[in-house]
Amino acid sequence: IESTAYSAKDVLLNKIQNIYDEKGLLVEQLGYDSESVLSWKAVFSYKNGKKTDVSEFGADGSIRNKVIYGYSGANLSEESVYNSDGVLVGKLILGVLNFVLIPPYCLLSSPLMLNALTTTTLLLSSLMIL
């Protein structure tokens, strides 16, 4: 499945290709620039149907960042973001009505990794920054 973004003048801005496994789980995303050149690749891993991590790679194949998901029973309880050196750069600890963003604050280079941290926050009602 592909999604594309166009400018107001109908010029291609970028394209994202989603690849799913036989269970319907998203296992890979490929991001292309306006020239249809691969810009990034994300690989999704699952255990028992739950997303365990997402690794993003640059066009040259080098890792850019990684998000690791933690669960408390069946519920997502935390998201930890690591940079290309494997250093923790941000962590969300999720609760029933709030979450905690643990510094250092996340400065992420791609919409994919930013989305990994912000999708959950849309469902939650309060934010506490330490």
Side-chain angles (χ1 to χ4, degrees):
I1 296 175
E2 287 186 6
S3 63
T4 53
Y6 292 92
S7 71
K9 295 183 180 185
D10 207 31
V11 175
L12 177 66
L13 298 174
N14 61 51
K15 176 174 66 172
I16 297 175
Q17 179 181 9
N18 295 314
I19 301 168
Y20 297 86
D21 67 8
E22 64 282 348
K23 297 176 186 174
L25 298 172
L26 178 64
V27 293
E28 192 171 271
Q29 279 187 323
L30 304 172
Y32 298 91
D33 64 17
S34 61
E35 304 293 320
S36 294
V37 174
L38 182 67
S39 299
W40 55 268
K41 172 183 173 180
V43 177
F44 298 75
S45 298
Y46 300 86
K47 183 176 181 180
N48 299 324
K50 295 180 187 176
K51 184 169 35 176
T52 57
D53 63 79
V54 179
S55 298
E56 184 186 354
F57 302 90
D60 63 357
S62 63
I63 190 156
R64 286 185 177 174
N65 42 52
K66 183 173 190 168
V67 178
I68 297 178
Y69 300 91
Y71 295 86
S72 176
N75 300 315
L76 180 64
S77 60
E78 65 181 50
E79 299 176 10
S80 302
V81 180
Y82 297 85
N83 67 14
S84 59
D85 295 322
V87 175
L88 179 67
V89 295
K91 187 170 193 170
L92 286 174
I93 300 173
L94 306 167
V96 175
L97 295 174
N98 58 43
F99 67 91
V100 178
L101 177 61
I102 299 175
Y105 304 110
C106 301
L107 299 174
L108 303 174
S109 61
S110 75
L112 174 69
M113 292 297 123
L114 183 58
N115 186 46
L117 287 175
T118 58
T119 300
T120 305
T121 65
L122 296 175
L123 304 174
L124 304 171
S125 63
S126 64
L127 166 67
M128 180 177 75
I129 298 178
L130 299 175

